[in-house]
């Protein structure tokens, strides 16, 4: 008794369907994996900086008395980082001069924009695991002394984009802690914020998950500002 075999046409149709399904699902799977990896690296960086803060407090006292220097300039940022941050980390390289060509790179604010952060006066150093740390120390208000920490979780590798591989934290000196930048807002208020700096806080408030584009838009976010 003969068994009926598949015809060539049936095989081609089956392969075409499989190809269509793969084309739809594989990119999504890859992106989801990249998001998960980004969160793992982000949480690690946050934990590392929190431990650094605790060690610096033991050596230098409560953060409210830390010296922020005078003015927004390279030497001020460098002095702050080298006293309160870098002694407690495994460093592979510190950019000791402002114009070190090996330390010059751009951080883009949004995926569909060429606008970049002003890194002209920042102090940059690299951790042993490849993470890039960008430090600025400033006094926004008399009682709001803080240092902004830009964390590039994959170093100088592309895309160097806020919300995708670059995230911003702040040493809030009056509170003796480091927190995601703009941490006081709700998920919806953070999503509608157009300053680009809110992604570390948004992810943390979303139970350490990067929201989907649909979630971001439902919260009121501009789809053009979604980094993924």
């Amino acid at each position: 008794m003969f068994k009926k075999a598949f015809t060539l046409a049936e095989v081609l149709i089956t392969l075409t369907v499989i190809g269509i399904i793969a084309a739809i699902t594989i990119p999504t799977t890859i992106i989801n994996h990249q998001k998960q990896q980004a969160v793992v690296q982000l949480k690690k960086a946050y934990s590392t900086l929190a431990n650094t803060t605790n060690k610096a407090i033991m050596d230098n006292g409560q953060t409210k008395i830390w010296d922020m220097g005078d003015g927004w300039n390279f030497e001020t940022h460098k002095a702050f980082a080298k006293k309160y941050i870098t002694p407690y980390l495994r460093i592979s390289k510190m950019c000791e001069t402002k114009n070190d060509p090996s330390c010059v790179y751009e951080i883009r604010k949004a995926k569909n924009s060429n606008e970049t952060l002003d890194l002209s006066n920042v102090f940059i150093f690299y951790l042993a695991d490849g993470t890039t740390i960008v430090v600025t120390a400033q006094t926004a208000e008399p009682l709001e002394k803080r240092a902004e920490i830009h964390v590039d979780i994959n170093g100088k590798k592309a895309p160097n984009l806020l919300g995708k591989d670059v995230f911003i934290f702040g040493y809030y000196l009056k509170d003796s802690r480091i927190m995601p930048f703009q941490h006081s807002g709700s998920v919806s208020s953070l999503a509608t914020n157009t300053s680009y700096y809110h992604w570390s806080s948004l992810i943390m408030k979303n139970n350490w998950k990067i929201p989907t584009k649909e979630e971001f838009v439902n919260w009121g976010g501009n789809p053009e500002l979604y980094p993924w």
Side-chain angles (χ1 to χ4, degrees):
M1 187 174 186
F2 295 101
K3 294 183 179 179
K4 183 179 180 181
F6 290 110
T7 66
L8 178 60
E10 289 172 329
V11 171
L12 292 176
I13 291 172
T14 301
L15 292 176
T16 300
V17 171
I18 292 173
I20 292 173
I21 294 173
I24 295 172
T25 60
I26 290 177
T28 300
T29 301
I30 291 174
I31 290 174
N32 287 338
H33 176 70
Q34 291 174 339
K35 286 181 177 180
Q36 291 171 355
Q37 288 299 109
V39 170
V40 168
Q41 292 172 281
L42 178 61
K43 291 176 72 174
K44 177 185 176 183
Y46 179 51
S47 176
T48 298
L49 291 173
N51 289 334
T52 296
T53 305
N54 293 334
K55 292 177 182 178
I57 288 173
M58 292 179 63
D59 290 343
N60 301 283
Q62 292 297 312
T63 56
K64 62 184 178 181
I65 65 171
W66 288 7
D67 183 9
M68 299 293 293
D70 183 21
W72 197 86
N73 58 71
F74 175 79
E75 292 301 329
T76 294
H77 305 155
K78 177 181 174 180
F80 179 88
K82 296 190 77 169
K83 183 172 184 178
Y84 302 113
I85 305 176
T86 61
Y88 311 100
L89 296 170
R90 293 180 60 201
I91 309 293
S92 64
K93 176 179 174 60
M94 284 194 282
C95 303
E96 298 286 355
T97 61
K98 179 178 178 180
N99 298 315
D100 184 338
S102 66
C103 297
V104 176
Y105 77 117
E106 294 184 339
I107 295 176
R108 291 188 296 135
K109 291 185 175 182
K111 182 170 65 174
N112 299 318
S113 171
N114 291 323
E115 188 177 4
T116 60
L117 297 181
D118 179 8
L119 302 181
S120 58
N121 287 299
V122 302
F123 177 64
I124 299 175
F125 60 91
Y126 300 93
L127 301 185
D129 65 3
T131 303
T132 301
I133 306 291
V134 178
V135 178
T136 64
Q138 56 188 294
T139 303
E141 299 174 10
L143 296 178
E144 189 65 17
K145 294 195 301 182
R146 70 169 186 261
E148 290 182 14
I149 312 297
H150 301 58
V151 177
D152 192 331
I153 57 177
N154 65 346
K156 294 176 69 174
K157 298 177 183 177
N160 300 327
L161 175 65
L162 286 176
K164 192 165 188 179
D165 61 341
V166 181
F167 303 91
I168 303 180
F169 295 90
Y171 280 99
Y172 293 88
L173 302 192
K174 68 177 182 179
D175 299 324
S176 296
R177 60 179 177 169
I178 184 168
M179 290 291 290
F181 197 69
Q182 298 176 337
H183 62 279
S184 60
S186 64
V187 168
S188 59
S189 67
L190 290 168
T192 56
N193 190 315
T194 58
S195 70
Y196 312 100
Y197 301 153
H198 59 281
W199 276 99
S200 57
S201 185
L202 184 62
I203 292 169
M204 184 176 181
K205 287 180 180 291
N206 193 40
N207 297 315
W208 288 106
K209 295 180 182 178
I210 297 174
T212 65
K213 188 173 185 177
E214 291 73 19
E215 289 174 326
F216 181 68
V217 172
N218 288 337
W219 293 336
N222 181 345
E224 294 297 318
L225 300 183
Y226 186 74
W228 290 84

